[in-house]
C-alpha cells in the first residue's frame, strides 16, 4: 500500500482565493482525520470521518472551512476564501479497526501559504 | 478537559547514548491510549510506540520504550543507543477512549550529536 496520499505537497495562494486540499486514505481504513499544524497552536484536529460520514467537526475554525468525503478513497478540505492566518501544514491521517489501538497513518501533509 | 504537556522544547543526546523525553497528561478517564509520534524533517508523522492505559506493562519497540506511570499521569519515552536518524520532533498524544480523536502535546525537538 502506498500509504496516505495527500496533494498538493505545497500550495501558495493569494488571499481570497479558494484552496482545495486532497487526501486518499489507506484502503480499508474506516476513519479519516484532518489535522492542522502551526507553530502557535501545534497539531489541531479539524474534523474526522467514519465510513465517509463526518463525526466531529468541532475543530473546524469557521464557515470558510469545509470537508467532504464522497467515497471511501477520497476526501477534500476546502478553504474559501483563504486568509493569511490559514497558512499551516494540513495533515490527513487514516486508521482502522474500531476499539483496537492501531494509531494513525499520516500523509506527508500539504504546506499551505496564503499571501 | 484533557491536556497533554511536553515540558522539554528541545533535547540533545550524543550518538549511542540514551535519552528520555517527558510527557504528562491530565484526564478523568480510566481507559485511554497514549502514543509517541516522530516527525522528521520530511514532515511525515510516524508512529513510534503506543500504550494502552489498562496495561501495566510498559511498551517496548526495539530501541524505544516507555515509562508509563498511570497514577502520576506520566508517559515518558526512552530512546536507547541513539542514532543520527532519531533526530526529529517527538509528539506525545492522548487518544480518547471509544474514539480515535487525539490531543497532541507541543512536541520536543531531539538533536543527536555525532
Amino acid at each position: 500500500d502506498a500509504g496516505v496520499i495527500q496533494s498538493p505537497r505545497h500550495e501558495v495562494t493569494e488571499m481570497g482565493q479558494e484552496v482545495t486540499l486532497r487526501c486518499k486514505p489507506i484502503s480499508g481504513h474506516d476513519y479519516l482525520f484532518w489535522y492542522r499544524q502551526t507553530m502557535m497552536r501545534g497539531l489541531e484536529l479539524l474534523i474526522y470521518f467514519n465510513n465517509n460520514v463526518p463525526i466531529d467537526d468541532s475543530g473546524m475554525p469557521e464557515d470558510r472551512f469545509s470537508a467532504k468525503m464522497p467515497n471511501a478513497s477520497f476526501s477534500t478540505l476546502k478553504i474559501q476564501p483563504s486568509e493569511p492566518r490559514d497558512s499551516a501544514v494540513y495533515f490527513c491521517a487514516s486508521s482502522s479497526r474500531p476499539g483496537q489501538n492501531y494509531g494513525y497513518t499520516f500523509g506527508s501533509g500539504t504546506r499551505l501559504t496564503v499571501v | 478537559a484533557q491536556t497533554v504537556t511536553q515540558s522539554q522544547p528541545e533535547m540533545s543526546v550524543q550518538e549511542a547514548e540514551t535519552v528520555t523525553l517527558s510527557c504528562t497528561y491530565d484526564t478523568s478517564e480510566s481507559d485511554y491510549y497514549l502514543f509517541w509520534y516522530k516527525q522528521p524533517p520530511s514532515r511525515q508523522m510516524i508512529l513510534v510506540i503506543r500504550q494502552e492505559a489498562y496495561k501495566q506493562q510498559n511498551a517496548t519497540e526495539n530501541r524505544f520504550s516507555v515509562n508509563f506511570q498511570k497514577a502520576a499521569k506520566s508517559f515518558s519515552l526512552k530512546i536507547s543507543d541513539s542514532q543520527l536518524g532519531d533526530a526529529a520532533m517527538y509528539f506525545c498524544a492522548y487518544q480518547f477512549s471509544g474514539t480515535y480523536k487525539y490531543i497532541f502535546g507541543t512536541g520536543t525537538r531531539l538533536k543527536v550529536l555525532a
Side-chain angles (χ1 to χ4, degrees), chain A residues 16-30:
Chain A
Q17 296 298 306
E18 177 179 296
V19 176
T20 299
L21 311 181
R22 297 173 175 79
C23 175
K24 176 179 170 55
I26 290 176
S27 178
H29 280 192
D30 299 327

Side-chain angles (χ1 to χ4, degrees), chain B residues 9-48:
Chain B
E10 189 170 294
M11 295 279 287
S12 296
V13 62
Q14 289 289 140
E15 197 176 4
E17 296 296 308
T18 296
V19 65
T20 298
L21 309 184
S22 300
C23 173
T24 59
Y25 58 94
D26 188 23
T27 184
S28 58
E29 297 184 334
S30 60
D31 189 18
Y32 49 88
Y33 302 108
L34 296 164
F35 302 84
W36 280 97
Y37 279 86
K38 170 184 177 181
Q39 187 177 38
S42 66
R43 200 168 71 199
Q44 185 168 13
M45 300 279 285
I46 302 166
L47 177 64
V48 174

Side-chain angles (χ1 to χ4, degrees), chain A residues 33-100:
Chain A
F33 305 82
W34 284 99
Y35 276 86
R36 178 172 68 176
Q37 185 179 34
T38 62
M39 289 295 293
M40 291 296 294
R41 301 176 67 89
L43 281 151
E44 302 174 280
L45 176 64
L46 300 177
I47 185 171
Y48 79 93
F49 297 82
N50 178 214
N51 290 324
N52 312 337
V53 175
I55 302 300
D56 185 342
D57 66 354
S58 60
M60 296 287 264
E62 47 198 273
D63 292 345
R64 299 184 296 107
F65 286 69
S66 61
K68 294 182 179 180
M69 193 165 185
N71 56 62
S73 59
F74 184 65
S75 178
T76 59
L77 178 67
K78 185 179 293 186
I79 308 172
Q80 165 64 23
S82 57
E83 296 183 2
R85 59 193 169 118
D86 302 330
S87 297
V89 178
Y90 291 82
F91 286 100
C92 176
S94 68
S95 189
S96 66
R97 302 197 183 184
Q100 295 188 36

Side-chain angles (χ1 to χ4, degrees), chain B residues 88-108:
Chain B
M89 284 288 289
Y90 286 82
F91 292 92
C92 178
Y94 171 101
Q95 178 183 323
F96 292 80
S97 174
T99 80
Y100 282 99
K101 189 173 179 177
Y102 281 9
I103 294 177
F104 284 91
T106 51
T108 297

